[in-house]
Amino acid sequence: MNFLRFIRATLIVYVVYEVFGYYVHNELLCDCYAEISDLFRKDNKEILKYAYIADFIFTLVFVFIYSAFVKKHTIATGIMYGSLVGLALTCGMVNQYIVYPITKHLLVLWILFTMFQMTLCGLSLGVIYRPRKGFRKIKLRKSKEPAPVSEPAAEEHIELTDEGNVQNENFPKTDNREEIK
């Protein structure tokens, strides 16, 4: 596993995950959250740093599973991987709907946004881990015998004429200046 690519993928996916999550939860779903505000902690702002730490650990695991266990790294497999992880996460959301008195509308929005968010994260992974075109590793093989030495090429006779034209003995001597005018 390429460690620098893993770190780069983790950081990029973490930024995508957090930016999308921030926009969804603080802009799009704030009206839905206002309906169930009595369910939330009162000291939510103080412990928000633990959510960022948990999201980073989730991102580490998300990227590690893709980089270590997915054999074919393409954009399509990245999208499929993100969609499958999103589908798995929706099971937990349905359980939250069963346990807590949240609205069906909020549950459906959570599911849709999570599927889109994880597909976007999978797309990011697919782009980062896709094979590079035109890039091949060069394998050097050690040979017991030295490489053959080729003979030098035959020398050509080149001369400069009085008019300043270069003449080669392999080509006919012509004066094309009159044809050009």
Side-chain angles (χ1 to χ4, degrees):
M1 176 173 47
N2 186 339
F3 185 71
L4 290 177
R5 184 183 269 188
F6 174 77
I7 294 298
R8 185 178 65 207
T10 301
L11 293 176
I12 290 172
V13 170
Y14 180 72
V15 168
V16 168
Y17 185 83
E18 288 298 325
V19 167
F20 186 80
Y22 178 84
Y23 178 72
V24 166
H25 294 292
N26 290 329
E27 299 294 327
L28 300 178
L29 296 178
C30 63
D31 292 337
C32 294
Y33 290 146
E35 295 174 12
I36 57 169
S37 62
D38 54 330
L39 297 177
F40 295 120
R41 292 176 164 266
K42 303 303 179 216
D43 60 346
N44 193 15
K45 302 271 188 224
E46 295 172 12
I47 61 171
L48 192 58
K49 60 185 172 188
Y50 298 118
Y52 292 123
I53 294 170
D55 288 346
F56 187 75
I57 292 170
F58 171 76
T59 305
L60 275 172
V61 172
F62 181 76
V63 173
F64 176 75
I65 291 172
Y66 182 81
S67 65
F69 298 112
V70 175
K71 299 297 181 206
K72 186 178 178 185
H73 293 150
T74 63
I75 294 175
T77 56
I79 291 171
M80 182 61 73
Y81 172 72
S83 299
L84 289 174
V85 170
L87 189 61
L89 290 176
T90 59
C91 296
M93 294 174 188
V94 172
N95 285 335
Q96 287 185 5
Y97 173 74
I98 294 168
V99 174
Y100 302 112
I102 62 173
T103 62
K104 288 181 187 177
H105 178 64
L106 181 60
L107 174 66
V108 169
L109 290 176
W110 272 354
I111 290 172
L112 292 175
F113 288 134
T114 299
M115 288 296 296
F116 186 75
Q117 180 181 30
M118 296 315 300
T119 303
L120 195 61
C121 290
L123 173 67
S124 301
L125 274 179
V127 168
I128 294 168
Y129 275 97
R130 76 180 184 275
R132 298 179 188 156
K133 291 184 179 179
F135 177 77
R136 285 190 247 154
K137 291 183 181 178
I138 300 173
K139 294 183 180 180
L140 299 176
R141 62 182 176 119
K142 294 182 181 178
S143 175
K144 295 180 182 177
E145 299 176 13
V149 178
S150 62
E151 295 183 22
E155 293 183 20
E156 293 182 354
H157 180 70
I158 300 175
E159 63 183 57
L160 188 61
T161 64
D162 292 335
E163 290 99 22
N165 297 330
V166 175
Q167 294 293 326
N168 187 332
E169 66 184 18
N170 297 331
F171 295 103
K173 295 181 181 182
T174 60
D175 190 10
N176 295 333
R177 284 184 283 172
E178 293 178 10
E179 294 176 11
I180 295 174
K181 292 180 183 179

